[in-house]
Amino acid sequence: MSIIDIESKYTSGVTSKRPLAIVRGKGARVWDENGREYIDCVGGQGTANVGHANPFVAQAIAEQARTLIALTEIFYNDKRAAIEEKLVQISPNHANRIYLCNSGTEAIESAIKLARYTTGRTGIVAFMRGFHGRTMGALSATWEPKYREPFLPLVPDFSHVPYDNLDKAREAITDQTAGVIVEVVQGEGGVRPGSREFLLGLQDLCRERGAMLIVDEVQTGFCRTGKMFASEHYGLEGDFVCVAKSIAGGLPMGAVMIGERVKKLEPMIHGSTFGGNPLACAAALAAIGFMERENLAARAAELGAYIIGRLQRIESPLIREVRGLGLMIGVELKQKVTPYLMALMERGVLALPAGLNVLRLLPPLVIEKSDLDVVAEAIEAVLQEAKE
Ligand SMILES: Cc1ncc(COP(=O)(O)O)c(C=O)c1O
């Protein structure tokens, strides 16, 4: 049986898959089981910012694997101490504490709990088209009805208001609100950057009304948008900044950067067996070191402006809008995007959807400009073919 047949037989079925088995990667390229090469603008769904099989991350993982893999936070550890110190240093919110976990949804779940713990309130205000993960708390903050409805009732006291609309947020945030949870650029919801006024306005409202601001940087973090964190574009300072995806060069890891307005956290009120394991911490140290040395943020800003400009110049009646920040890019079509993703795959380019009609690009930030040219040409060609 082929790889695809075996997986199709035994997979849980919760992921809609493409008929392609990827077995190897390097930088911004991946290869299938037959050795065919692809330019990868899926980028592990945003987890591969430092490039596939990054040699520094690979070496750090190998060394740490030979040294110590399993250690819970009961004991102190050199790699954990170093990554906590590093995350505090680079945090966009002047964090003074770090909570380590294993995924984006866990980071969000943790922030929701700790916002309730700090304020003694229950209300969480989230935004339409927002995506924050799939565990019950994170799912309660996620907007998409298709993801939520099979699992009702969810956690009580969550509400959703329109994104980028400060007036509606002002009505929703009250003295019962524990936290407001927001993406700086909505990712799964269609690559929609929030405005400076909206984001800083939320911060003011939270301070004024005693609510915690939870900034979800799971997709936008670690240089994706042209800064180490997207919050830095506006000087946004969440009380919690949630990160994951590319933090550890592709290894599962999440973190919450905790600001000073958050109450002192008592032992045992929250926790995780795998959180802060030395293997993930070592990988994260190597990945963040690489981002800093190579100035990946500046690279994402420059290449992002280049490809967005190039895509905006495509003349196609099928395009509604091209938008993005850094190398987080959305091409909104007037039609469903899936057939175009398949046509791009035929041409050797892998890309993502965001919602039904947005084509999303999240390439590793080490991608070459010449590869971005190939991507833009391929997008133009598949849109052109569709017209014919
Ligand atoms: C903005 C945002 N928040 C949270 C999550 C959930 O992260 P994870 O899939 O690591 O649980 C995602 C995943 O795509 C995301 O994009």
Side-chain angles (χ1 to χ4, degrees), residues 264-275:
K264 179 171 186 297
L265 305 177
E266 299 300 333
M268 308 305 281
I269 64 138
H270 194 52
S272 156
T273 301
F274 281 128

Side-chain angles (χ1 to χ4, degrees), residues 45 103-106 108 131-133 183 188 216 218-219 244-245:
Q45 206 117 359
S103 68
T105 197
E106 260 184 80
I108 297 294
F131 183 88
H132 303 287
E183 290 160 271
E188 306 296 310
D216 181 344
V218 169
Q219 193 161 143
K245 292 210 190 270

Side-chain angles (χ1 to χ4, degrees), residues 84-121:
E84 287 176 351
E85 187 173 42
K86 184 75 196 167
L87 289 172
V88 161
Q89 270 169 14
I90 63 174
S91 67
N93 59 339
H94 297 99
N96 55 13
R97 285 158 289 169
I98 304 293
Y99 174 74
L100 295 171
C101 53
N102 312 288
S103 68
T105 197
E106 260 184 80
I108 297 294
E109 198 75 30
S110 308
I112 291 169
K113 284 180 70 179
L114 300 180
R116 284 187 167 179
Y117 180 75
T118 292
T119 59
R121 305 171 179 179

Side-chain angles (χ1 to χ4, degrees), residues 58-78:
Q59 192 186 338
I61 291 173
E63 272 171 24
Q64 189 60 40
R66 283 191 291 267
T67 308
L68 183 66
I69 298 176
L71 186 78
T72 74
E73 286 219 27
I74 300 174
F75 300 105
Y76 295 89
N77 174 260
D78 55 339

Side-chain angles (χ1 to χ4, degrees), residues 9 39 81 144 173 176 183 191-192 200 215 275 326 364 370 384:
K9 187 164 176 207
I39 299 177
E144 176 61 52
I173 301 168
Q176 298 301 306
E183 290 160 271
V191 189
R192 296 167 202 278
L200 294 180
V215 178
S370 52
Q384 187 66 34

